Amino acid sequence: MILERSNFMNVKQIEEQLTQSNLQNRIPDIKELINIYQLSHSAANEIGTKLENLDDEYSTDYDHNPIHHMEERLKSANSLFGKLKRKGLALTTENVRDHIFDIAGIRVVTNYIDDIYTVEKALSEQSDVTVLKRKDYIENPKESGYRSLHLVVSVPVFQSKGVFDVPVEIQFRTIGMDMWASLEHQLSYKTDADPKKVQQHSANLKHYAKELNDIEIRMQAIFRDLQAK
Ligand code: GTP
Ligand code: MG
């Protein structure tokens, strides 16, 4: 299993982003904001390690890795401020702390649908993990056809200053759901394309989401059968 950290900006890079975008003049307590990023970075590492350990355990016990790979990211400063703006909130660190729970994000890509719920359960049951929010877009797909399980959990981070509970957003999805979401995401950025064509592609993608789900359920059944003792 690979934990990709390529998109995972370090806190220094975030600091540079804030400086370059001139936004630092608009935030009264930039040091505090950088500390929030630092905490989020550590929280993502904590959750990433927990997930790796669970994957290792399943691999030993069942000869099966539920997690295919994971990706971690820190929300860029610009998209953080864009989100506050969309929510009609001022650029203050209080608002970031109280309303933004996805500065740290981990995408967990699994082999099968069962793997999502197995890993979710094992993680949620850990005594230092608290589930703050849960949205199951596999049970209830979005209008676009998007499927994934979204969790926001909090985990304690131990710093020299003390211990802080920090939120991390986790998106669980299968390889199939991930492939679908990447293409659909690409389509949503094609703002200069012929609207008719985009509409047709969207309609097709919605249809394919359903087909992929049907295939994944059938492949899951084969896998369950092979695992049965
Ligand atoms: P915010 O996190 O505040 O935006 O709202 P929310 O928590 O309600 O967000 P939501 O649960 O819709 O999930 C947001 C994230 O899920 C996005 O950043 C995407 O990564 C992913 N996502 C949600 N809907 C779609 C979709 O229709 N297509 C694709 N490709 N990704 C989606
Ligand atoms: Mg979100």
Side-chain angles (χ1 to χ4, degrees), residues 135-197:
K135 285 193 205 164
D136 190 342
Y137 298 124
I138 302 168
E139 258 324 286
N140 302 297
K142 286 201 165 189
E143 187 50 36
S144 59
Y146 177 77
R147 292 179 303 135
S148 285
L149 172 69
H150 291 190
L151 281 192
V152 176
V153 301
S154 84
V155 68
V157 170
F158 290 81
Q159 286 195 322
S160 61
K161 315 176 191 60
V163 52
F164 306 91
D165 283 319
V166 183
V168 177
E169 184 183 79
I170 312 173
Q171 295 180 348
F172 291 96
R173 48 172 79 153
T174 61
I175 298 169
M177 295 175 198
D178 192 46
M179 181 179 86
W180 184 95
S182 308
L183 187 58
E184 199 267 349
H185 181 73
Q186 220 174 314
L187 181 66
S188 69
Y189 274 85
K190 287 276 172 216
T191 44
D192 54 342
D194 173 8
K196 260 210 172 120
K197 209 163 129 181

Side-chain angles (χ1 to χ4, degrees), residues 33-44:
L33 184 60
I34 288 164
N35 187 43
I36 293 177
Y37 267 103
Q38 177 64 64
L39 282 167
S40 302
H41 187 181
S42 302

Side-chain angles (χ1 to χ4, degrees), residues 70-209:
M70 294 193 275
E71 294 159 25
E72 289 184 357
R73 68 114 185 84
L74 280 185
K75 202 177 197 69
S76 73
N78 274 332
S79 96
L80 170 68
F81 295 131
K83 188 162 179 174
L84 281 172
K85 213 170 161 190
R86 275 201 310 282
K87 287 176 178 258
L89 297 165
L91 309 184
T92 66
T93 48
E94 270 89 64
N95 282 339
V96 173
R97 208 172 283 133
D98 296 345
H99 300 280
I100 308 290
F101 306 112
D102 63 346
I103 288 191
I106 300 188
R107 184 167 291 156
V108 181
V109 181
T110 69
N111 289 298
Y112 298 100
I113 302 170
D114 281 356
D115 295 330
I116 293 177
Y117 295 104
T118 304
V119 177
E120 181 213 4
K121 184 168 186 290
L123 181 74
S124 306
E125 283 176 356
Q126 296 189 6
S127 58
D128 55 348
V129 173
T130 308
V131 178
L132 302 176
K133 201 164 123 183
R134 182 178 191 274
K135 285 193 205 164
D136 190 342
Y137 298 124
I138 302 168
E139 258 324 286
N140 302 297
K142 286 201 165 189
E143 187 50 36
S144 59
Y146 177 77
R147 292 179 303 135
S148 285
L149 172 69
H150 291 190
L151 281 192
V152 176
V153 301
S154 84
V155 68
V157 170
F158 290 81
Q159 286 195 322
S160 61
K161 315 176 191 60
V163 52
F164 306 91
D165 283 319
V166 183
V168 177
E169 184 183 79
I170 312 173
Q171 295 180 348
F172 291 96
R173 48 172 79 153
T174 61
I175 298 169
M177 295 175 198
D178 192 46
M179 181 179 86
W180 184 95
S182 308
L183 187 58
E184 199 267 349
H185 181 73
Q186 220 174 314
L187 181 66
S188 69
Y189 274 85
K190 287 276 172 216
T191 44
D192 54 342
D194 173 8
K196 260 210 172 120
K197 209 163 129 181
V198 172
Q199 204 179 10
Q200 186 57 57
H201 286 329
S202 297
N204 284 340
L205 278 171
K206 190 171 174 175
H207 187 61
Y208 301 158

Side-chain angles (χ1 to χ4, degrees), residues 18-49:
L18 289 166
T19 318
Q20 278 163 11
S21 57
N22 253 343
L23 284 162
Q24 87 276 21
N25 303 325
R26 295 160 62 189
I27 312 161
D29 40 5
I30 187 123
K31 279 225 165 76
E32 247 321 280
L33 184 60
I34 288 164
N35 187 43
I36 293 177
Y37 267 103
Q38 177 64 64
L39 282 167
S40 302
H41 187 181
S42 302
N45 285 341
E46 295 285 351
I47 295 293
T49 301

